[in-house]
């Protein structure tokens, strides 16, 4: 995967700073923890969406945005950023697309992150 493609998925600047500060191996441990929690995060988003619970969906998206950002998952963080703002005019029309983006890309993006960090370790 090219650097340009990887940069669309991962926050390479932040990841390089983390790697310089704490090392790729330590960061990889955080990513493994995130990986264990991700099904619960995504499940909570889907459950809130399916229940039509906008308040919970926005709240869970906010939490997920922070968690994804903390490990450098840029694309997923961006979808969650959009999803958390239920007051935005385009939210009603677009929130399903944003949630689908998270569901579609989360696992693959996480695997790319792990490969990136393993190559740096």
């Amino acid at each position: 995967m090219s650097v340009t493609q990887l940069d669309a998925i991962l926050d390479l600047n932040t990841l390089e700073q983390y790697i310089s500060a704490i090392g790729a191996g330590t960061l990889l441990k955080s990513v493994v923890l995130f990986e264990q929690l991700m099904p619960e995060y995504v499940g909570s988003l889907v459950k809130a969406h399916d229940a039509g619970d906008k308040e919970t969906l926005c709240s869970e998206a906010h939490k997920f945005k922070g968690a994804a950002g903390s490990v450098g998952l840029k694309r997923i963080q961006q979808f969650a950023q959009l999803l958390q703002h239920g007051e935005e005019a385009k939210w009603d029309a677009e929130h399903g697309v944003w949630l689908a983006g998270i569901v579609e890309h989360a696992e693959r993006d996480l695997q790319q992150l792990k490969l990136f960090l393993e190559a740096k370790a």
Side-chain angles (χ1 to χ4, degrees), residues 51-93:
D53 187 345
K54 182 177 180 177
E55 184 178 330
T56 299
L57 180 55
C58 292
S59 174
E60 292 296 319
H62 177 74
K63 291 180 206 171
F64 188 62
K65 177 198 73 172
S70 74
V71 295
L73 286 169
K74 181 165 76 174
R75 175 167 46 188
I76 300 306
Q77 181 186 24
Q78 290 170 337
F79 280 127
Q81 169 78 22
L82 293 165
L83 195 56
Q84 78 176 355
H85 290 292
E87 73 283 357
E88 294 289 329
K90 62 184 176 181
W91 193 91
D92 286 333

Coordinates of all heavy atoms in Angstrom, one line a residue, residues 51-93:
A51 N -32.1 1.0 16.9 CA -33.1 1.4 17.9 C -33.7 2.8 17.6 O -34.6 3.2 18.3 CB -32.6 1.3 19.3
G52 N -33.0 3.5 16.7 CA -33.4 4.9 16.4 C -33.1 5.8 17.6 O -33.7 6.8 17.7
D53 N -32.1 5.5 18.3 CA -31.7 6.2 19.5 C -30.6 7.2 19.1 O -29.4 6.9 19.3 CB -31.3 5.3 20.6 CG -31.0 6.0 21.9 OD1 -30.9 7.2 22.0 OD2 -30.9 5.3 23.0
K54 N -31.0 8.4 18.6 CA -30.0 9.3 18.1 C -29.1 9.8 19.2 O -27.8 10.0 19.0 CB -30.8 10.5 17.5 CG -29.9 11.6 16.9 CD -30.8 12.7 16.3 CE -29.9 13.8 15.7 NZ -30.8 14.8 15.0
E55 N -29.6 10.1 20.4 CA -28.8 10.6 21.5 C -27.6 9.6 21.9 O -26.5 10.0 22.0 CB -29.6 10.9 22.7 CG -28.8 11.5 23.9 CD -29.7 11.8 25.1 OE1 -30.9 12.1 24.9 OE2 -29.2 11.8 26.2
T56 N -28.0 8.4 22.0 CA -27.0 7.3 22.3 C -26.0 7.1 21.2 O -24.8 7.0 21.4 CB -27.7 6.0 22.7 OG1 -28.5 6.2 23.8 CG2 -26.7 4.9 23.0
L57 N -26.5 7.2 19.9 CA -25.7 7.0 18.8 C -24.6 8.1 18.7 O -23.4 7.8 18.6 CB -26.5 7.0 17.5 CG -25.7 6.8 16.2 CD1 -24.9 5.6 16.2 CD2 -26.7 6.8 15.0
C58 N -25.0 9.3 19.0 CA -24.1 10.4 19.0 C -23.1 10.3 20.1 O -21.9 10.6 19.9 CB -24.8 11.8 19.0 SG -25.8 12.1 17.6
S59 N -23.5 9.9 21.3 CA -22.7 9.7 22.4 C -21.7 8.6 22.2 O -20.5 8.8 22.5 CB -23.5 9.4 23.7 OG -22.7 9.1 24.8
E60 N -22.1 7.5 21.7 CA -21.2 6.4 21.4 C -20.2 6.7 20.3 O -19.1 6.3 20.4 CB -22.0 5.1 21.1 CG -22.8 4.5 22.2 CD -22.0 4.1 23.3 OE1 -20.9 3.4 23.1 OE2 -22.4 4.3 24.5
A61 N -20.7 7.5 19.3 CA -19.8 7.9 18.2 C -18.7 8.8 18.8 O -17.5 8.7 18.4 CB -20.6 8.6 17.1
H62 N -19.0 9.7 19.8 CA -18.0 10.5 20.4 C -16.9 9.7 21.1 O -15.7 9.9 20.9 CB -18.7 11.5 21.4 CG -17.7 12.4 22.1 ND1 -17.1 13.4 21.5 CD2 -17.3 12.3 23.4 CE1 -16.3 14.0 22.4 NE2 -16.4 13.3 23.5
K63 N -17.4 8.7 21.8 CA -16.4 7.8 22.5 C -15.5 7.1 21.5 O -14.3 6.9 21.7 CB -17.2 6.8 23.4 CG -17.9 7.3 24.6 CD -18.6 6.2 25.3 CE -19.8 6.7 26.1 NZ -20.5 5.6 26.6
F64 N -16.2 6.5 20.5 CA -15.4 5.8 19.5 C -14.4 6.7 18.7 O -13.3 6.2 18.4 CB -16.4 5.1 18.5 CG -15.8 4.2 17.5 CD1 -15.2 3.0 18.0 CD2 -15.8 4.4 16.2 CE1 -14.6 2.1 17.1 CE2 -15.3 3.5 15.3 CZ -14.6 2.4 15.8
K65 N -14.8 7.9 18.5 CA -13.9 8.9 17.8 C -12.7 9.0 18.6 O -11.6 9.0 18.1 CB -14.6 10.2 17.6 CG -13.7 11.3 17.0 CD -14.2 12.7 17.3 CE -14.0 13.0 18.7 NZ -14.3 14.4 19.1
G66 N -12.8 9.2 19.9 CA -11.6 9.4 20.8 C -10.8 8.1 20.8 O -9.5 8.2 20.8
A67 N -11.4 7.0 20.9 CA -10.6 5.7 21.0 C -9.9 5.5 19.7 O -8.7 5.1 19.7 CB -11.6 4.6 21.3
A68 N -10.6 5.7 18.5 CA -9.9 5.5 17.2 C -8.8 6.5 17.0 O -7.7 6.1 16.5 CB -11.0 5.6 16.1
G69 N -9.0 7.7 17.4 CA -8.0 8.7 17.3 C -6.8 8.4 18.1 O -5.6 8.7 17.7
S70 N -7.0 7.9 19.3 CA -5.9 7.6 20.2 C -4.9 6.6 19.7 O -3.8 6.5 20.1 CB -6.4 7.2 21.6 OG -6.9 5.9 21.5
V71 N -5.3 5.7 18.7 CA -4.4 4.8 18.1 C -4.1 5.1 16.6 O -3.5 4.3 15.9 CB -5.0 3.3 18.2 CG1 -5.0 2.9 19.7 CG2 -6.3 3.1 17.6
G72 N -4.5 6.3 16.2 CA -4.2 6.7 14.8 C -5.0 6.2 13.7 O -4.6 6.3 12.5
L73 N -6.2 5.7 14.0 CA -7.1 5.3 12.9 C -7.9 6.5 12.3 O -9.0 6.8 12.8 CB -8.1 4.2 13.4 CG -7.5 2.9 13.7 CD1 -8.4 2.0 14.5 CD2 -7.1 2.2 12.4
K74 N -7.3 7.2 11.4 CA -7.8 8.4 10.9 C -9.2 8.3 10.2 O -10.1 9.1 10.5 CB -6.8 9.1 9.9 CG -7.3 10.4 9.4 CD -6.2 11.2 8.8 CE -5.7 10.7 7.4 NZ -4.7 11.6 6.8
R75 N -9.3 7.4 9.2 CA -10.6 7.3 8.5 C -11.7 7.0 9.4 O -12.8 7.6 9.3 CB -10.5 6.2 7.4 CG -11.8 6.0 6.7 CD -11.7 5.2 5.4 NE -10.9 4.0 5.5 CZ -10.6 3.3 4.4 NH1 -11.0 3.7 3.2 NH2 -9.9 2.2 4.5
I76 N -11.6 6.0 10.3 CA -12.6 5.7 11.3 C -12.9 6.8 12.2 O -14.1 7.1 12.5 CB -12.2 4.4 12.1 CG1 -11.9 3.2 11.2 CG2 -13.2 4.1 13.1 CD1 -13.0 2.9 10.2
Q77 N -11.9 7.5 12.6 CA -12.1 8.7 13.5 C -12.9 9.8 12.8 O -13.8 10.4 13.3 CB -10.8 9.3 13.9 CG -10.9 10.5 14.8 CD -9.6 11.1 15.2 OE1 -8.6 11.0 14.4 NE2 -9.5 11.8 16.3
Q78 N -12.7 10.0 11.5 CA -13.4 11.0 10.7 C -14.9 10.6 10.6 O -15.7 11.5 10.7 CB -12.7 11.2 9.3 CG -11.4 11.8 9.4 CD -10.6 11.8 8.1 OE1 -10.8 11.0 7.3 NE2 -9.6 12.7 8.0
F79 N -15.2 9.3 10.3 CA -16.6 8.9 10.2 C -17.3 9.1 11.6 O -18.4 9.6 11.6 CB -16.7 7.4 9.8 CG -16.5 7.2 8.4 CD1 -15.6 6.2 7.9 CD2 -17.3 7.8 7.4 CE1 -15.5 5.9 6.6 CE2 -17.2 7.5 6.1 CZ -16.3 6.6 5.7
A80 N -16.6 8.8 12.7 CA -17.2 8.9 14.0 C -17.3 10.4 14.3 O -18.3 10.8 15.0 CB -16.3 8.2 15.1
Q81 N -16.4 11.2 13.9 CA -16.5 12.7 14.1 C -17.8 13.2 13.5 O -18.6 14.0 14.1 CB -15.3 13.4 13.5 CG -15.4 14.9 13.4 CD -15.1 15.6 14.7 OE1 -14.5 15.0 15.6 NE2 -15.6 16.8 14.8
L82 N -18.1 12.8 12.3 CA -19.3 13.2 11.6 C -20.5 12.7 12.3 O -21.5 13.4 12.5 CB -19.3 12.7 10.1 CG -18.3 13.4 9.2 CD1 -18.1 12.6 7.9 CD2 -18.6 14.8 8.9
L83 N -20.5 11.4 12.7 CA -21.6 10.7 13.3 C -22.0 11.3 14.7 O -23.1 11.3 15.1 CB -21.2 9.2 13.5 CG -22.3 8.2 13.7 CD1 -23.4 8.3 12.7 CD2 -21.8 6.8 13.8
Q84 N -21.0 11.9 15.4 CA -21.3 12.4 16.8 C -22.1 13.7 16.8 O -22.7 14.0 17.8 CB -20.0 12.5 17.5 CG -19.2 13.8 17.2 CD -18.0 14.0 18.0 OE1 -17.8 13.3 19.0 NE2 -17.3 15.0 17.7
H85 N -22.1 14.4 15.7 CA -22.8 15.7 15.6 C -24.2 15.6 15.1 O -24.5 16.0 13.9 CB -21.9 16.7 14.8 CG -20.7 17.0 15.5 ND1 -20.6 17.8 16.6 CD2 -19.4 16.7 15.2 CE1 -19.3 17.9 17.0 NE2 -18.6 17.3 16.1
G86 N -25.1 15.1 15.9 CA -26.5 14.9 15.5 C -27.2 16.2 15.2 O -28.3 16.2 14.6
E87 N -26.7 17.4 15.7 CA -27.3 18.6 15.4 C -27.1 19.2 14.0 O -27.7 20.1 13.6 CB -26.9 19.7 16.5 CG -25.5 20.2 16.3 CD -24.3 19.3 16.8 OE1 -24.6 18.2 17.3 OE2 -23.2 19.6 16.6
E88 N -26.1 18.6 13.3 CA -25.8 19.1 11.9 C -27.0 18.8 11.0 O -27.6 17.8 11.1 CB -24.5 18.4 11.4 CG -23.3 18.7 12.2 CD -22.8 20.1 12.0 OE1 -23.0 20.7 10.9 OE2 -22.2 20.7 12.9
A89 N -27.2 19.7 10.1 CA -28.3 19.6 9.1 C -28.2 18.4 8.3 O -29.3 17.7 8.0 CB -28.3 20.9 8.2
K90 N -27.0 17.9 7.9 CA -26.9 16.8 7.0 C -26.9 15.4 7.8 O -26.9 14.4 7.2 CB -25.7 16.9 6.1 CG -24.4 16.9 6.9 CD -23.2 17.2 6.0 CE -21.9 17.3 6.8 NZ -20.8 17.5 6.0
W91 N -27.0 15.5 9.1 CA -26.9 14.3 9.9 C -28.0 13.3 9.6 O -27.8 12.1 9.4 CB -26.9 14.6 11.4 CG -26.5 13.5 12.3 CD1 -25.3 13.1 12.7 CD2 -27.4 12.4 12.8 NE1 -25.3 12.0 13.4 CE2 -26.6 11.5 13.5 CE3 -28.7 12.2 12.7 CZ2 -27.1 10.4 14.2 CZ3 -29.3 11.1 13.4 CH2 -28.4 10.2 14.1
D92 N -29.3 13.8 9.5 CA -30.4 12.9 9.3 C -30.2 12.1 8.0 O -30.5 10.9 7.9 CB -31.7 13.6 9.3 CG -32.1 14.0 10.7 OD1 -31.7 13.3 11.7 OD2 -32.8 15.0 10.9
A93 N -29.8 12.8 7.0 CA -29.6 12.2 5.6 C -28.4 11.3 5.5 O -28.4 10.3 4.8 CB -29.6 13.2 4.6

